[in-house]
Amino acid sequence: MFFGTPHMGASKDLLLNSLQKLASLAVPKRAFQVESSLLNALESESETLQNITDQFAPLISNFRVFFFWEQERTDLVYTKDYIVDEASAAPILDNTERSGIAADHRGMCKFDKNTDQGFRTVVAALRRYQQEASEVIKQRTARASTAMRDQRWHEAN
C-alpha cells in the first residue's frame, strides 16, 4: 500500500515549498535543512525516480498493490495545495487498485474512527490480501519447487 507516494515525481518548487512549510511547523528552523539530492530524486522526470520505477516494474506482478492519493489540500500556512497529485500518487497500472483518501497529505494514514471511508477501504483491502495469502503462498511454493527440481535435473544431465 502506497499512501501519497510520488511515483511520477512532483514539481520541485511545490516539493521544496511544501517540505519547508511542513517542517517549519514541527522542527526548529536551525535543525531543518532540505537535502537537494532528495528533492532532485523526487522531481518529475528525475533519473533516480525512473531507475526505481524501472527496477520495480518487473516485480510488481508479484505483489498486490494499492495506491492512495490525498483528496484534500494540505494547509501550508499561507496557502493550501496537494503535496502529491493523484496522477503521481496513483499511476494507472494493470492489476493494481487505487483510491482517494478524504484527507490531506499529513492525515492520509490517520483515522479518527473505524467508520471513516479511508479506514474502511484500507481494512477491506488488507482483509482481502490476508484471505488470498495462503493460496498465493501455496502456488508460489509449488512453482519454486518445480523450478528447483527442473534446475537440478538439468544440472545433473
Side-chain angles (χ1 to χ4, degrees), residues 128-147:
R128 266 194 329 276
Y129 300 164
Q130 180 269 326
Q131 289 171 353
E132 297 167 359
S134 62
E135 185 60 33
V136 169
I137 291 167
K138 189 186 303 181
Q139 290 173 2
R140 287 183 183 174
T141 302
R143 281 194 306 265
S145 177
T146 300

Side-chain angles (χ1 to χ4, degrees), residues 4-6 9-19 21-22 68-76 79-89 100-106 108:
T5 304
S11 157
K12 189 171 188 173
D13 291 337
L14 176 60
L15 276 173
L16 179 59
N17 292 334
S18 300
L19 289 172
K21 288 175 183 174
L22 285 171
F68 294 96
W69 69 90
E70 62 216 58
Q71 290 182 310
E72 296 178 11
R73 297 174 193 272
T74 300
D75 185 356
L76 302 169
T79 187
K80 287 186 171 191
D81 209 343
Y82 296 108
I83 304 300
V84 180
D85 66 19
E86 178 184 345
S88 184
I101 297 240
D104 66 10
H105 194 74
R106 287 181 287 219
M108 291 182 72

Side-chain angles (χ1 to χ4, degrees), residues 44-131:
S44 294
E45 300 179 23
S46 81
E47 185 177 345
T48 302
L49 198 54
Q50 187 60 51
N51 288 338
I52 292 169
T53 301
D54 291 346
Q55 290 173 16
F56 185 62
L59 304 174
I60 199 167
S61 63
N62 295 325
F63 300 97
R64 294 294 308 261
V65 176
F66 207 128
F67 298 114
F68 294 96
W69 69 90
E70 62 216 58
Q71 290 182 310
E72 296 178 11
R73 297 174 193 272
T74 300
D75 185 356
L76 302 169
V77 183
Y78 299 110
T79 187
K80 287 186 171 191
D81 209 343
Y82 296 108
I83 304 300
V84 180
D85 66 19
E86 178 184 345
S88 184
I92 299 172
L93 301 172
D94 290 341
N95 301 314
T96 62
E97 298 176 87
R98 21 182 350 265
S99 177
I101 297 240
D104 66 10
H105 194 74
R106 287 181 287 219
M108 291 182 72
C109 299
K110 301 173 188 170
F111 305 104
D112 293 329
K113 48 192 180 288
N114 63 3
T115 56
D116 288 352
Q117 167 267 337
F119 180 85
R120 294 169 58 107
T121 302
V122 169
V123 168
L126 288 172
R127 284 186 177 146
R128 266 194 329 276
Y129 300 164
Q130 180 269 326
Q131 289 171 353

